[in-house]
């Protein structure tokens, strides 16, 4: 079944139809039920059509990615920092993939359908149980992302979880070291408040959704993976420096620092 879906994803017409369908359903929730503020799309100018990776913090399983796809399509039609009317769905920008947890994308018929929009499933880095244990990098997952980068843009969430200020995965840094892509940091907010974590159901209407695309990072590809992931986490405002600006988290860190260990 997964091989069949992978073949379908390569058919441009199929992906255009999926983008149009998902886009029409999700557009009202982004612009009518809620409000969206987009900044930094001027940083898309002169980007190559391949080997570009967007690294972002993560707040919901689907709404974050769907919003990125809306923005990429709007920019293709000449819009800057706005969506406007969704006529861009008539000819969407489909040269982009997104990284998602394998368990999440197998969860429902909706998630399996959304896989056709360019999902790259990877095995979770964190295993839930009595304690959280970090698994090693799966080579097949790495190759999957590298193949996508060789032809397209890729969206990834280095934390691999919607929990704020979770540590970044070293695998993201290793992929960046090896492939040397253009790295665009993205900071989002408001999605956790507006949407349910596992779908597009509304939690609070009238929320402000913000998406800020920052300038490409100047990365020393010869630096250690630890240094690169630290740079990325700071750029997406999920580092300890930003965590300490949140009063209740700063207090928890002072009392129980072991909760924040990688």
């Amino acid at each position: 079944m997964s091989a069949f879906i992978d073949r379908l994803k390569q058919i441009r017409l199929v992906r255009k139809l999926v983008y149009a369908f998902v886009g029409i359903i999700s557009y009202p929730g982004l612009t009518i039920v809620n409000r969206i503020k987009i900044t930094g799309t001027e940083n898309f100018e002169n980007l190559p059509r391949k080997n570009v990776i967007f690294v972002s913090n993560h707040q919901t399983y689907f709404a974050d990615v769907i919003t990125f796809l809306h923005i990429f399509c709007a920019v293709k039609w000449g819009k800057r920092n706005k969506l406007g009317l969704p006529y861009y769905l008539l000819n969407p920008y489909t040269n982009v993939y997104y990284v998602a947890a394998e368990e999440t994308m197998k969860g429902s018929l909706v998630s399996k359908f959304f896989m056709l929009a360019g999902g790259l499933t990877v095995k979770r880095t964190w295993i839930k149980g009595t304690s959280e244990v970090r698994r090693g990098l799966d080579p097949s997952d790495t190759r999957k992302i590298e193949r996508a980068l060789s032809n397209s843009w890729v969206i990834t969430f280095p934390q691999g979880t919607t929990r704020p200020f979770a540590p970044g995965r070293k695998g993201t840094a290793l992929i960046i070291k090896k492939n040397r892509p253009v790295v665009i940091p993205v900071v989002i907010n408001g999605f956790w408040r507006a949407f349910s974590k596992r779908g597009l159901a509304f939690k609070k209407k009238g929320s402000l959704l913000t998406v800020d695309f920052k300038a490409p990072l100047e990365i020393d590809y010869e630096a250690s993976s630890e240094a690169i992931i630290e740079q990325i986490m700071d750029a997406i405002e999920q580092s300890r420096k930003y965590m300490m600006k949140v009063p209740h988290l700063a207090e928890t860190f002072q009392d129980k620092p072991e909760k924040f260990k990688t």
Side-chain angles (χ1 to χ4, degrees):
M1 182 67 177
S2 60
F4 176 68
I5 291 176
D6 286 340
R7 286 195 294 270
L8 281 180
K9 281 190 296 188
Q10 306 306 317
I11 302 174
R12 182 164 296 185
L13 179 60
V14 170
R15 291 181 67 174
K16 285 178 181 273
L17 292 173
V18 172
Y19 273 49
F21 179 75
V22 174
I24 289 170
I25 290 175
S26 58
Y27 179 82
L30 299 177
T31 62
I32 300 173
V33 178
N34 297 293
R35 297 171 293 130
I36 186 166
K37 180 182 179 182
I38 306 165
T39 54
T41 57
E42 59 273 11
N43 291 312
F44 290 15
E45 294 178 5
N46 302 317
L47 283 181
R49 286 183 56 81
K50 61 182 181 179
N51 209 30
V52 177
I53 189 165
F54 293 81
V55 291
S56 176
N57 62 314
H58 202 19
Q59 295 191 341
T60 71
Y61 289 175
F62 300 112
D64 309 1
V65 172
I66 290 172
T67 302
F68 286 2
L69 299 181
H70 271 283
I71 294 169
F72 294 158
C73 295
V75 169
K76 175 185 176 180
W77 280 71
K79 297 178 183 291
R80 177 178 286 189
N81 293 332
K82 65 178 181 179
L83 295 183
L85 295 175
Y87 56 78
Y88 51 77
L89 294 174
L90 295 172
N91 186 19
Y93 184 81
T94 58
N95 194 42
V96 58
Y97 290 84
Y98 65 93
V99 179
E102 189 176 79
E103 294 90 339
T104 299
M105 302 313 290
K106 288 182 177 180
S108 66
L109 287 175
V110 174
S111 60
K112 290 177 182 177
F113 175 75
F114 190 51
M115 274 290 296
L116 297 175
L120 300 172
T121 56
V122 298
K123 298 177 182 65
R124 282 193 185 276
T125 301
W126 294 96
I127 308 172
K128 289 187 177 180
T130 55
S131 62
E132 290 186 324
V133 181
R134 175 154 288 198
R135 289 204 301 235
L137 186 68
D138 190 312
S140 63
D141 292 342
T142 303
R143 289 193 295 270
K144 196 182 299 183
I145 297 170
E146 289 177 344
R147 283 196 298 270
L149 277 173
S150 69
N151 297 299
S152 312
W153 293 356
V154 170
I155 304 164
T156 190
F157 303 95
Q159 293 165 288
T161 175
T162 56
R163 180 165 62 89
F165 302 106
R169 299 174 297 180
K170 193 184 295 185
T172 300
L174 293 173
I175 289 170
I176 290 171
K177 277 177 64 70
K178 182 177 179 180
N179 297 275
R180 303 193 172 202
V182 177
V183 180
I184 305 287
V186 191
V187 178
I188 64 170
N189 203 7
F191 291 85
W192 65 273
R193 183 182 297 110
F195 299 102
S196 62
K197 183 160 65 172
R198 298 177 180 272
L200 292 174
F202 303 125
K203 285 173 58 180
K204 183 179 179 181
K205 298 179 181 180
S207 298
L208 175 63
L209 314 173
T210 62
V211 184
D212 179 25
F213 295 93
K214 297 186 177 182
L217 290 179
E218 295 184 8
I219 291 180
D220 177 5
Y221 297 108
E222 301 301 325
S224 67
S225 56
E226 289 83 4
I228 291 175
I229 198 64
E230 183 179 348
Q231 181 183 6
I232 288 170
M233 297 306 289
D234 199 52
I236 66 174
E237 301 181 9
Q238 291 293 297
S239 62
R240 184 172 297 174
K241 178 180 74 175
Y242 285 94
M243 182 186 71
M244 297 302 284
K245 294 179 181 180
V246 182
H248 74 277
L249 291 178
E251 184 177 345
T252 302
F253 179 78
Q254 296 295 334
D255 295 339
K256 299 179 179 179
E258 66 276 5
K259 282 192 171 185
F260 300 92
K261 289 182 179 179
T262 59

